[in-house]
Amino acid sequence: MDGMKKSKLTLNADFRVAKVDPRIYGSFIEHLGRAVYGGIYEPGHPTADGNGFRGDVAELVRESGATVVRYPGGNFVSGYNWEDGVGPVEKRPKRLELAWNSVEPNTFGTDEFIKWCRATGTEPMMAVNLGTRSDAEAQALVEYCNHASGTYWSDLRIANGARDPHGVKLWCLGNEMDGPWQIGHSDARAYGLKANSASRMMKMTDDSIETVLCGSSNMWMRTFGEWEAQTLDIAYDTVDYVSMHSYFDNRPGDLADFLAKTTEMDDFINGVVAVCDYIKAKKHSKKTVNLSFDEWNVWYHSNGTKVDKWIQAPPILEDVYDFADAVEVGLLMIALLRHCDRVKIACLAQLVNVIAPIMTETGGRSWRQTIFYPFAQAAKYGRGSVLLGLLETGRHDTSHHGGVPDVDAVAVLSDDGEELTLFAVNRGLDADDPELLEVELQKLPGMRPVEHLSMFGFAPDAVNTADSQPVAPALMPVPFFKDGAAKAVLPAMSWNVIRFKKTDGNG
Ligand code: AHR
């Protein structure tokens, strides 16, 4: 241990960032590729239930710990008529789906999605179409979903088999409306006015809902910053969150730089927080608008893959994730947790088959991709409050992201104070050069390390497939504990979950 590189994290139970909103462990199902058809929904599959929901996939979704699930898009929503997806299935129209050049059969729609959410214990987060449609159709969908009865839309829901309201609390006001690729893309002022009006009408229909304004599609958009400022200037009083999206790639294959890219997520969050608070100050408002990071992931493996046009459920964006991607996803999860005072919702995009932690064969098997694990472990153990940690660690240079910390870490203390979980990544790449992390615990009497799980030791490009899934966490020796501090070895290029529990000792 003596010759090892050393980092130190000091944690004090009195110093907290904020409580983690469980909705930070959200995910996303879009009508895209095989996410719905052949993914979560496949009548005739050996594991399908009476609704056509795949049982094997539902089981993996439960295991992933996903809390909210955003639906039905994504770019898809900007050309979607939600009315096509409700009512008797045999009467639903097949449509050309212009965002992804596919054919949409509409055999799965709003009511099926809500049933699927109930079956998987997830909370629906619905998006309305503000691309080709208006505030009126958005209002009608809220009335269809949430109004008890006695009106055209609510009675239609009941006639379609759903007596009780769906009670959807979270609503996205369109998708990536700043992006020129988006159907119905407009400038910030036009979108701000439309979103403001839609949000008002939706909240007049059900004043218990929360709405998410479209922010920038990524921080490299030319309009980033100004888009948020202009749209919030119009809609600040009627919305609750601003959305953020970011995808990360390892395209030149520069591993150190890839693992440094997560610092962009910190920068992006800090930027959007600054704009939200600028508008708050400008308006002399007491209200704080928070962030919904409702699309984030690694995405690049499938880029350039050719898929036939105008077919149903084509295999689009089926990234096969490797071990390096799992470490990156762990780092991104750490960044989201670090900002839990302002990031209240986040959605790993997506959930099944499409840039997803869960993969399936249509008609066949399902399995966990490498990125499944950091997400699922964070969703399981990252419950409570993030502690403000003082992290002393070395830095190393990267080709495009300057000097970055060797170790990144975040700790979550459970609400009852009985458990503490540390999520940590060692960005170091030299397999012979692990890092010794000392974790000093202050005002946490009796807290002792009980488990260390780590993903490490795989080739960066190691993957899981239907036939074999070697890339998974392994148990490490429980960290040594003495004089109020634990000492854990973080292998090179590793994602770690170190769990502490309160014992009777006084530490
Ligand atoms: O998640 C895939 C796509 O990425 C979504 O449809 C869109 O919102 C984003 O550009």
Side-chain angles (χ1 to χ4, degrees), residues 301 320-323 369-370 459-465 468-471:
H301 297 279
V320 176
Y321 289 111
D322 60 26
F323 170 57
Q369 293 231 56
T370 61
D461 61 355
V463 298
N464 291 342
T465 63
S468 110
Q469 298 101 40
V471 186

Side-chain angles (χ1 to χ4, degrees), residues 250 255 258-259 298 322-329 459-462 493:
N250 184 14
L255 216 46
F258 179 45
L259 298 182
V298 172
D322 60 26
F323 170 57
D325 301 328
V327 177
E328 178 81 355
V329 163
D461 61 355
M493 199 178 169

Side-chain angles (χ1 to χ4, degrees), residues 10-12 15-17 386-390 411:
T10 307
L11 297 170
N12 183 313
F15 301 150
R16 302 181 188 210
V17 176
V386 166
L387 297 185
L388 191 63
L390 176 67

Side-chain angles (χ1 to χ4, degrees), residues 65-112:
T67 50
V68 300
V69 179
R70 184 166 171 254
Y71 171 89
N75 296 340
F76 169 82
V77 78
S78 298
Y80 182 50
N81 295 337
W82 67 266
E83 300 89 329
D84 291 347
V86 298
V89 171
E90 61 286 359
K91 291 201 175 141
R92 297 188 195 173
K94 268 191 188 172
R95 302 260 189 215
L96 281 189
E97 198 292 288
L98 302 181
W100 300 102
N101 301 320
S102 311
V103 168
E104 172 53 52
N106 281 309
T107 50
F108 187 98
T110 300
D111 296 320
E112 287 80 16

